[in-house]
Amino acid sequence: MHSGRNYTLQEFIYWTRRKIYVLIILAVVPTVVFAITGTKWILIPWPPILLIGTASALIAGFRNNATYGRSWEARQIWGRIVNSSRTFGIMTLDFIRHPQEGLLKEIHQRILFRHLAWITALRHQLREKRQWENARICPQYIEYAKFYSVPEWKSTLAEDIKEFLTEEEWQSVKNRKNIATHILTLQSADLRQLHEQGRITELKYLELQQQLKDFYDHQGGSERIKNFPYPRQYSTLSRFFFSILTVLIPLGMLNEFSKLGPNFIWLNIPFSIIVSWIFLTLEDIGESTENPFEGAANDVPISTISRTIEIDLKEMLGLEKIPPARVPDHYIQM
């Protein structure tokens, strides 16, 4: 997520420069051919281009609205994870009682650390690669990634989670397909045992179980967005439309500038590049927003959010060793 005031024009140009190179070729070649040979059959009237441009703009607007909805829903889910985690921390500290202060602190830390293990496992699972994602495939995303780092790609789950789970707990979940799910299973079993020991009353036990249910709901919402891509038929159609449009725009503009005189045809090169670049950038913006957990610059910052939760819960426990908040790299928060 970009947390600065805005992206700069230089950043947009750097991000789209490969396509700009193609646009330069598409603009220069027909202009030079027409200037040298005077070939008029390459000139195209505006009406068909306007029809294609209108269709492209409509589908781009539809796509961008839908992909923004996916991104905003993902952010809402992780906002609820923050609120639910704080509520769970307060409930854990207030609901679970033990006559021995030392054992009570140990129980509180065990449960809240296990919750941090769940968040750690979930964010690592959400950063896994999917076939339809762009962050690790498309050159423009790979190159722009040098301006920031994705914590889940720099360390393994085993390294990040060892602080929060005992060795026995880690061994029991590490080979599971969905580790986050089974960490909540361990959490539920621990709470049930504390209830049976009389450390949690019936009503408070049910409220804590409700919190676990909410965590499952939040996890399921995140996994649905992660594992169900924006429909490929719409994405493919949009790409086809814009590819056709960017080929036709220089030919249509060349037709218009040629009517002004032979010296004006060279204006076709900058103007057709600018118009085509606007359309392609609009398409790229929608594409960069459709997968909010892929590890790209416009992701929902789940690593930063997870660190915020970790800081809050550790401060609730009264621990002295508190990790620092994550700071943006070139205004990019992950």
Side-chain angles (χ1 to χ4, degrees), residues 197-214:
Q197 294 172 353
R199 305 305 175 195
I200 313 175
T201 64
E202 181 73 22
L203 179 59
K204 293 176 179 179
Y205 169 69
L206 293 175
E207 291 183 8
L208 286 170
Q209 286 292 339
Q210 178 62 41
Q211 288 297 311
L212 296 188
K213 175 186 176 299
D214 290 343

Side-chain angles (χ1 to χ4, degrees), residues 62-63 66-67 70 228-237 290:
F62 172 79
R63 182 188 186 186
T67 56
R70 285 169 58 87
F228 187 84
Y230 177 76
R232 296 295 87 191
Q233 64 270 29
Y234 292 113
S235 178
T236 303
L237 188 64
E290 68 182 34

Side-chain angles (χ1 to χ4, degrees), residues 37 100 198 221 230 256 267 301:
T37 66
Q100 298 182 29
Y230 177 76
E256 298 301 317
L267 292 176

Side-chain angles (χ1 to χ4, degrees), residues 30-43 254 265:
T31 304
V32 172
V33 169
F34 181 78
I36 294 176
T37 66
T39 305
K40 294 187 177 181
W41 62 265
I42 63 174
L43 305 180
L254 183 59
I265 63 173

Side-chain angles (χ1 to χ4, degrees), residues 58-72:
L58 288 174
I59 197 170
F62 172 79
R63 182 188 186 186
N64 286 8
N65 185 63
T67 56
Y68 177 78
R70 285 169 58 87
S71 180
W72 180 240

